[in-house]
Structures are given as structure tokens and as C-alpha cells.
Amino acid sequence: MSLSHETIVIVGTGFAGLGMAIRLKKSGIENFVLLEKADEVGGTWRDNHYPGAACDVPSPVYSFSFEPNPNWTRVFSPQAEILEYLKHCADKYQIRSHIRFHSLVQSASFDEKSGLWTVHIEGQPALMCRFLILGTGGLSRPAYPDIPGLKDYQGPLFHTAAWRHDVPLRGKRVGVIGTGASAIQVIPELVHEVQELKVFQRTPAWVLPKADGVLPKRSQAGNWFLRKALYWRFEMRALALLKPKLMRFGQKMAMEYLEEQVKDPVLRKKLTPRYIMGCKRVLLSNDFYQAMSLPQTRLITDGIERIKPGGIKTRDGVEHELDVVICATGFQVAEATAPFRIVGRSGQVLSEVWKDGAQAYLGTTVTGFPNLFIIVGPNSGLGHNSIVFIIESQVQYIMDALRQALRSRWSSVEVRPDVQVAFNDKIQKLLAPTVWSREHCRSWYQTPSGKNTTIWPGFSFTFRLKTLQFDAAAYDCRVSETVGETVQPQLNPLHSR
Ligand code: N01
């Protein structure tokens, strides 16, 4: 069986886009193209190259199941190794010839009559395809803080996800805004270089030690058991996220760790979290608390009033003079956003449909947007295990959808509205008793009104079970006798490249 008379467009070349492309290739499908806004593959692992950037999930599980890497040097790999791994995957599976770099997608619209998507790319002719697959990820757009005066600051100000390696930090007075996953990795790296480090914290986070270490080659080369053992160890963490009562054990461990690491009771109090563990991502670090305890570091908790040309003014009236300001303030995730303007059947725009919170079926398909597949879409994110596991589940599901579509000559597949509604009602019900729904729990997983549109409320293996096969009965599948012919003329420009 072949899909060769169809055209598939994938947007993005991170784990999701590459994982999808490799799977197509392995199935003998060649007529697909990947659109990448940058000049290299890697997605978030290409863009987040701040000092100390590393994964907080062990690499043997934070990698493709079909491509074990015997070269990881540590249990939790640094960013450069993960980027190398993704480049290696692109090369080994000959994906690069399918990639159009410097291709920023501006919009995409679906034509109901032909069952085709038209994809508009900045500075390039539009592209048509039958299936559009988004591998654009949730953590690709840096969020700068909404603080008055941000633009008035006269020194270098940048985001961890857009690190300025050209800005010298040695001997400078540096301010870091935020104490999330990125901040706790970058702070221990900066602290030994700068003259003074001021960390502006809004909410203290839960931190546990990281069981990191050198990973000997012999223990990992193709080691199926290592992968499985790590997967199940991390999978167990879901228990406490789903049953908040169990979280007291994790909290106790974290408090003991804080007490052992931070001797100063005032600093310790400032670093003590005030919400239930797991509500926000649990952070893993062996050196964050040590860095915060050094004499050149100051933790500022008075709240930022505004940014001034020479530094940051806090609500207690103090003006902190700074040579450089770094925003470790996360990403634009839970807002009702799609990566670009996506116009579905009947002219509906995805970001408008999602204005009160993103919604999909199995985090992958959306009513009103036929032939569109989203990898790591709404409520498919994890707080406890490797997202690559979810990506591979969705890739399997999409692959099965494409196979069935070809076999049955469907011109379009669209998830039924009743199915999507029932699925999301269930998701919200499952979320209700979890840590993410506890009082005072606010995180980037939620919309401004508090709806969690990001997290999969269960074990990752239950997601895998639900996505093993494309469940055509949940979809409105339209048949067309001219599927191949309709799309064929659009294939030529792609193949002439
Ligand atoms: O971002 P965050 P991140 N004034 O949103 C603070 C992944 N990741 O880049 O908690 C003052 O977690 C904000 O405060 P508060 C991972 O999935 C993975 O660190 O909102 N402060 C918080 O402290 C992670 O969850 C790895 O009150 C402001 C911080 O900025 C996700 O990326 C490594 C503020 C933002 O924390 C995001 O992590 C790094 C303001 N106006 C990241 N606005 C791995 O290891 C925000 N903050 C795989």
C-alpha cells in the first residue's frame, strides 16, 4: 500500500515533526514536506541554548523508542547532546531532503470542496496538501513578562529561550526574573560568573534533587531494560498527581531537601512553596539551592513594580540597578492560541474557536478542521514522564488515520462534534480531583479563567492505549473518487525540488 499520490505537510522539525517524518519514511511514504522557520532542525532544543539547559527527564526515555542512543553522557542530557541526537535522526533517516528551512508558515486554510489545505509561507508560493500535521510544540513562543516599563530598560534584556551569547556577564550585575524550570538551570551557571545576581521570584517552586550522573556506555547501548525501568519509575509519579493525598510524601522529601541545603531561615522561608506540589512542574536540581545561598546572590520577593532604564523597581520602593536583565518567564502556552492563523471548514478560525480554551480529541484532531493533526495538542502534555512517549503515540494514531484514509479514498476526515465534546467533558472530570485543580493552584497549564487545557489527566500508557488505532467511527469521513487526481497537480512543484 502506498500513499504516494497524497501530499502531507508537516510544520516544525523538533521531536514531533521529525518523529512523524521518520514514521512516514519508514512506511515507504515519500511525498511529504516539512516546513521549518529556522535554519536547522531541533525545535525547542535548538532554541533553548541558555547556559545549563538540560533535560529534566532521563535521556534513555527522552528519545525515540526506535533510535536508542548509546552516546548519552549523563542520565539527564545537556541541550547540546539532545540537539545532536535530533540532527543525527534527521540525517540517518534522510529527512533533510524533505525539509524547507527558512519557511515560516503564516496561515493555512481548508477548502471543503477539494478537501485540501492551502498553506501560506512567508515570501514563498503557497503550498497545497491534503493532510496538515502540526509539530509546532507548546513551548516555542517565549513569553516576556507583562511588566510596565519593559521596553524602557536600556541595557541588554533577553529571554532564556533567545539567549544572547554575545552579551558578556562576567563581573556584571545581573537580574533574573522567574524561578521556574529554565531559571533553576541557568542560575547555578551564572552565579559564579557575575558580580551580583538578583533573582526576582513571584512564586517559590517545589524542588527535588536530580538523580543525575555519568551514564556509562555499556549500561545503555540498546538497553531495552534501562528504558523500561526509567519509564515505569517516572510513570509512578502520576499516582501522586492524580491522588493529591499522596503528594505529602513528595512534599516532605522536598522540605527536607530545602532544609538540608539552605541554612539561612529567612531565605528558606522565602523559598518555601505555598501551593500543592505538582500543580506547577516539579523542578529537579542539585545546585539551585546552593546557588541561592551564595553571598553574591539575592532573592527578591517584594514583587516587581516596574522596569526602569537602569534596572528593576520593586514594590517596596527599592530600585535595583542592573547591567543585564534575563527573563526566565516561560512560554505562551495555555492562551487560546494556534501557532498561526488556521482557517477550517466554513471559515472558522482556530484561535477564535479556542478563545475560551483549546480543545481537541485525543489532543490531536479538532472539529471543524478536517485533515488537520496536531502533535502535543490540547490536554496531551505530561507533568510526570517523557513527552516523546506521547509524541510517538500520536504519530502512530496519525499514521493509522492516513493509511485508512488512503485505503478508503477519503478526501477528508473530521472528528465528530459529539465525540470531541464528550471527550473533553471526561478530561475535565478526570482533572477535577487532581493536584492541578486544587485551590490556589495557578500554572501555565491553565487558561486565564483557570481551565486546564494542557495536561493529560492520567498515566501516559492510557494515552498510548487510546491512540493505538485510528477510530474511524469517531470521525466524519468523506469519500471522494477523485482524491488522487485532485491533489496530483500540487505534487509537482514539491517533487521538482
Ligand atoms: O517557565 P515557567 P520555564 N513577574 O513558566 C515567573 C519546560 N522546560 O521556561 O510561577 C515575575 O515554568 C513565573 O512565576 P509564577 C517545562 O515543561 C523543561 O521555566 O508564574 N515573575 C515562573 O517562576 C517547563 O514547565 C526543561 O508566579 C514572572 C517563571 O517566571 C516549561 O518549559 C527545562 C512573571 C516562569 O516559569 C516552562 O519552564 C526548562 C512576571 N510578570 C523548561 N511572569 C527541561 O528540563 C512569569 N514569571 C525538559
Side-chain angles (χ1 to χ4, degrees):
M1 186 192 55
S2 151
L3 275 175
S4 62
H5 64 289
E6 299 283 1
T7 302
I8 298 156
V9 168
I10 303 168
V11 188
T13 62
F15 268 104
L18 287 179
M20 189 72 233
I22 294 169
R23 190 68 199 275
L24 289 171
K25 198 96 175 175
K26 283 183 156 195
S27 309
I29 296 160
E30 291 285 340
N31 57 339
F32 63 90
V33 66
L34 292 103
L35 302 175
E36 170 54 60
K37 65 179 190 297
D39 60 359
E40 184 50 280
V41 301
T44 194
W45 294 104
R46 176 198 58 226
D47 296 340
N48 283 268
H49 41 72
Y50 55 82
C55 193
D56 59 8
V57 177
S59 290
V61 271
Y62 198 86
S63 48
F64 292 125
S65 58
F66 55 84
E67 190 61 23
N69 178 14
N71 300 320
W72 300 124
T73 58
R74 305 194 65 79
V75 178
F76 295 88
S77 293
Q79 169 265 343
E81 281 187 30
I82 303 171
L83 181 57
E84 269 318 299
Y85 171 78
L86 288 171
K87 287 182 189 174
H88 155 81
C89 290
D91 293 334
K92 176 172 170 181
Y93 293 95
Q94 298 171 353
I95 303 299
R96 284 189 188 271
S97 59
H98 294 266
I99 305 175
R100 288 191 189 180
F101 290 109
H102 303 291
S103 296
L104 178 67
V105 177
Q106 291 182 314
S107 64
S109 50
F110 183 74
D111 175 51
E112 198 170 356
K113 202 154 158 251
S114 63
L116 297 176
W117 282 95
T118 303
V119 183
H120 297 276
I121 309 159
E122 190 180 66
Q124 294 180 32
L127 199 62
M128 291 180 86
C129 60
R130 179 143 327 262
F131 297 105
L132 178 61
I133 303 174
L134 303 186
T136 38
L139 305 176
S140 55
R141 274 168 302 161
Y144 285 85
D146 185 16
I147 299 173
L150 194 73
K151 291 208 162 56
D152 301 341
Y153 183 65
Q154 284 183 348
L157 179 149
F158 52 89
H159 195 279
T160 42
W163 194 264
R164 293 265 314 268
H165 292 278
D166 61 321
V167 176
L169 299 176
R170 186 159 296 283
K172 304 278 187 210
R173 298 165 303 173
V174 177
V176 173
I177 305 177
T179 48
S182 301
I184 62 125
Q185 292 184 337
V186 79
I187 285 168
E189 296 292 316
L190 301 185
V191 75
H192 299 293
E193 204 179 328
V194 301
Q195 181 202 340
E196 183 183 58
L197 186 68
K198 289 195 171 168
V199 177
F200 295 83
Q201 173 185 273
R202 190 163 65 181
T203 314
W206 287 102
V207 182
L208 283 170
K210 191 174 183 177
D212 200 7
V214 172
L215 201 53
K217 261 192 185 206
R218 64 187 146 67
S219 74
Q220 52 170 328
N223 194 328
W224 184 87
F225 284 105
L226 179 64
R227 188 177 168 94
K228 291 288 168 225
L230 286 168
Y231 170 79
W232 285 107
R233 198 177 134 200
F234 271 67
E235 193 66 348
M236 285 306 111
R237 302 199 311 181
L239 276 173
L241 296 165
L242 303 174
K243 302 251 176 272
K245 273 190 182 159
L246 297 176
M247 219 24 123
R248 65 173 188 274
F249 299 111
Q251 292 190 179
K252 188 166 174 283
M253 267 170 62
M255 284 310 297
E256 282 168 6
Y257 181 53
L258 175 63
E259 271 160 39
E260 174 209 303
Q261 294 276 310
V262 181
K263 302 294 174 208
D264 173 359
V266 178
L267 179 62
R268 200 161 59 218
K269 186 152 186 256
K270 285 182 175 180
L271 288 167
T272 301
R274 300 181 291 268
Y275 59 86
I276 186 165
M277 189 183 220
C279 156
K280 295 174 194 268
R281 194 175 179 89
V282 179
L283 309 182
L284 302 181
S285 174
N286 295 334
D287 45 14
F288 172 64
Y289 284 149
Q290 284 166 22
M292 294 308 298
S293 305
L294 290 172
Q296 64 270 40
T297 313
R298 272 193 58 204
L299 180 65
I300 317 283
T301 55
D302 302 296
I304 299 174
E305 186 180 303
R306 66 175 300 115
I307 298 194
K308 310 274 284 184
I312 293 180
K313 184 175 179 194
T314 42
R315 291 206 191 102
D316 56 356
V318 177
E319 288 196 29
H320 303 269
E321 283 185 23
L322 297 165
D323 302 314
V324 181
V325 173
I326 296 164
C327 300
T329 42
F331 299 86
Q332 301 171 43
V333 186
E335 285 91 359
T337 46
F340 43 81
R341 187 178 160 84
I342 298 177
V343 186
R345 188 172 50 71
S346 331
Q348 36 192 338
V349 178
L350 189 57
S351 55
E352 284 164 20
V353 172
W354 280 357
K355 69 179 185 316
D356 296 323
Q359 238 195 52
Y361 175 58
L362 292 171
T364 314
T365 50
V366 187
T367 302
F369 297 82
N371 296 359
L372 174 73
F373 297 95
I374 306 170
I375 303 178
V376 198
N379 291 108
S380 63
L382 292 182
H384 70 284
N385 210 336
S386 172
I387 196 64
V388 182
F389 186 85
I390 295 290
I391 289 173
E392 286 195 42
S393 307
Q394 290 181 293
V395 164
Q396 157 66 25
Y397 184 78
I398 297 167
M399 200 60 230
D400 199 37
L402 298 178
R403 280 201 199 97
Q404 290 193 40
L406 180 75
R407 196 184 303 137
S408 311
R409 296 187 75 80
W410 294 329
S411 60
S412 70
V413 290
E414 177 183 346
V415 64
R416 286 178 12 220
D418 57 315
V419 171
Q420 184 176 304
V421 167
F423 177 81
N424 281 279
D425 285 351
K426 179 101 187 280
I427 289 272
Q428 293 305 322
K429 265 197 199 110
L430 290 172
L431 278 165
T434 67
V435 289
W436 301 292
S437 307
R438 286 321 258 305
E439 220 186 338
H440 309 304
C441 172
R442 292 292 308 152
S443 75
W444 62 260
Y445 301 144
Q446 298 156 315
T447 61
S449 68
K451 186 176 173 194
N452 188 325
T453 56
T454 310
I455 287 285
W456 171 250
F459 293 100
S460 64
F461 66 82
T462 59
F463 188 89
R464 171 67 56 95
L465 292 173
K466 284 183 189 299
T467 48
L468 280 177
Q469 282 184 334
F470 180 70
D471 43 349
Y475 287 78
D476 174 16
C477 305
R478 300 204 177 168
V479 182
S480 162
E481 283 312 308
T482 57
V483 164
E485 293 77 8
T486 333
V487 80
Q488 195 64 19
Q490 310 303 331
L491 279 170
N492 295 335
L494 283 180
H495 282 262
S496 62
R497 290 174 65 238

